[in-house]
């Protein structure tokens, strides 16, 4: 259920964690940048996750409706919850942190 422009319209970078500037197994910190009108696919993972949202965008968790944390807003994904994000008319930029030590 990713948007048709997903492959060319998003980028992720690992800052801390596997392949990051600081290689670690227990903590992953990265960034996601999505072009306007890109939808990240529904996905889930065992590590809990926190987002710091640095631009406008929408997020969804489980069966709940889409919501906007706003610039500077945060959200928390409990382990194994289905979640997704999407950009509106502007790019979406967010920092994410996963505590992989609990995976």
């Amino acid at each position: 259920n990713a948007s048709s422009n997903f492959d060319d319209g998003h980028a992720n970078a690992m800052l801390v964690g596997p392949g990051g500037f600081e290689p670690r197994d227990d903590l992953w910190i990265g960034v996601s940048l999505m072009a306007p009108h890109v939808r990240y696919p529904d996905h889930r993972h065992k590590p809990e996750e926190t987002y710091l949202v640095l631009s406008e965008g929408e997020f969804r968790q489980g069966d709940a409706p889409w919501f906007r944390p706003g610039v500077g807003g945060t959200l928390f994904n409990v382990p194994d919850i289905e979640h997704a994000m999407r950009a509106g008319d502007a790019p979406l930029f967010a920092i994410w942190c996963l505590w992989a030590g609990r995976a």
Side-chain angles (χ1 to χ4, degrees):
N1 55 7
S3 58
S4 61
N5 58 350
F6 175 73
D7 288 337
D8 292 327
H10 87 287
N12 293 313
M14 183 76 73
L15 304 175
V16 175
F21 295 111
E22 171 73 24
R24 295 178 63 141
D25 294 329
D26 60 336
L27 175 68
W28 303 352
I29 301 173
V31 295
S32 292
L33 176 62
M34 298 192 330
H37 308 289
V38 171
R39 184 193 192 287
Y40 202 94
D42 291 346
H43 63 287
R44 61 179 68 225
H45 39 75
K46 294 289 181 195
E48 60 194 39
E49 179 179 40
T50 299
Y51 279 88
L52 172 60
V53 184
L54 299 174
S55 67
E56 292 300 328
E58 295 184 317
F59 292 77
R60 190 180 56 75
Q61 298 170 310
D63 294 330
W66 289 93
F67 65 96
R68 296 172 183 254
V71 176
T74 60
L75 63 122
F76 177 74
N77 291 321
V78 298
D80 208 33
I81 190 171
E82 186 175 84
H83 57 284
M85 59 185 167
R86 67 184 180 190
D89 291 335
L92 186 152
F93 184 59
I95 298 172
W96 42 265
C97 304
L98 288 91
W99 178 245
R102 295 188 185 170

